[in-house]
Amino acid sequence: MTSPCKHGDRPPGRHDLVFVSPAGWRAMLDARDDLAADSLLARWPKMRWPTIRRRALPHEATGVALGLPLPPSAGKKRVALLVEIDHVASVARPPSLQQARAYAPRNWWPTLDRLDGLARRHSVDARVYGSLAWQSLTGLDYVTGRSDLDVLFEFRSETDIDRFVADVAAIETSAPIRLDGELMSADGAAVNWREVHGGASELLVKSIERVVLLDRHQFISGATGS
């Protein structure tokens, strides 16, 4: 289980796990008649499972925008929620590669280990999101034979990004799954690692507030325009 911190330590950012208080869950579910009969969703507060931070929609001017993807057995439904900041009990980063490893199919393990070793050599903090993350957080069956491995690579200013993404691509050549994921800078802005590896001069940069096109060198140097 990834370690939560009090929400006052820093505001919830992109891909952050957000743990909601019991009172917050009651308020969210009471406000949504369409969710009242969902027995799986009713388990979330009882099991103290997290939600995930998402970008707010234009009409969501107040509160913290949260998301919750249900497993394939529940139709892979994506639930959008909104909670008052006072009901955010804690915030945590996504699970690390090693934390999620035990919940992955065994034939994924060598790939996870190679990515973990690569990240350590490049001073990159590598974490999982997507199906493997939710499987490790809840114990429910999210990973299927068609699942990708979604990895969040949080890089530092000294990271050689071009070399790093080339090494990720090399690992994928012998991996049993597609390696999807993002490169995230210190301020929480992120791009798909394939765009960087492909040599695009402009990158689609995503943050918790917005999505913008940014010059490749600006993003890598940390000038995200936020």
Side-chain angles (χ1 to χ4, degrees), residues 101-141:
R101 185 181 188 274
Y103 296 87
R106 280 185 171 269
N107 66 331
W108 291 23
W109 289 7
T111 300
L112 289 165
D113 292 342
R114 291 184 67 191
L115 287 171
D116 187 55
L118 174 66
R120 292 175 189 274
R121 290 195 299 275
H122 283 269
S123 299
V124 169
D125 184 20
R127 297 177 177 275
V128 297
Y129 62 102
S131 59
L132 179 56
W134 287 102
Q135 186 155 301
S136 70
L137 290 164
T138 66
L140 301 175
D141 291 329

Side-chain angles (χ1 to χ4, degrees), residues 152-174:
L152 184 65
F153 301 109
E154 300 180 29
F155 65 90
R156 301 180 184 180
S157 58
E158 65 267 25
T159 304
D160 184 338
I161 295 296
D162 290 326
R163 174 64 183 276
F164 179 75
V165 295
D167 289 345
V168 172
I171 290 174
E172 187 182 42
T173 61
S174 60

Side-chain angles (χ1 to χ4, degrees), residues 52 192 224:
I52 192 167
N192 188 289
T224 60

Side-chain angles (χ1 to χ4, degrees), residues 157-216:
S157 58
E158 65 267 25
T159 304
D160 184 338
I161 295 296
D162 290 326
R163 174 64 183 276
F164 179 75
V165 295
D167 289 345
V168 172
I171 290 174
E172 187 182 42
T173 61
S174 60
I177 64 287
R178 173 184 166 89
L179 301 185
D180 205 356
E182 297 181 339
L183 298 166
M184 179 180 280
S185 60
D187 65 358
V191 300
N192 188 289
W193 75 268
R194 293 181 188 278
E195 286 191 46
V196 177
H197 181 56
S201 59
E202 283 192 318
L203 303 171
L204 190 66
V205 181
K206 300 178 181 181
S207 69
I208 200 63
E209 294 86 14
R210 58 181 181 161
V211 179
V212 296
L213 275 174
L214 197 69
D215 177 85
R216 172 192 185 90

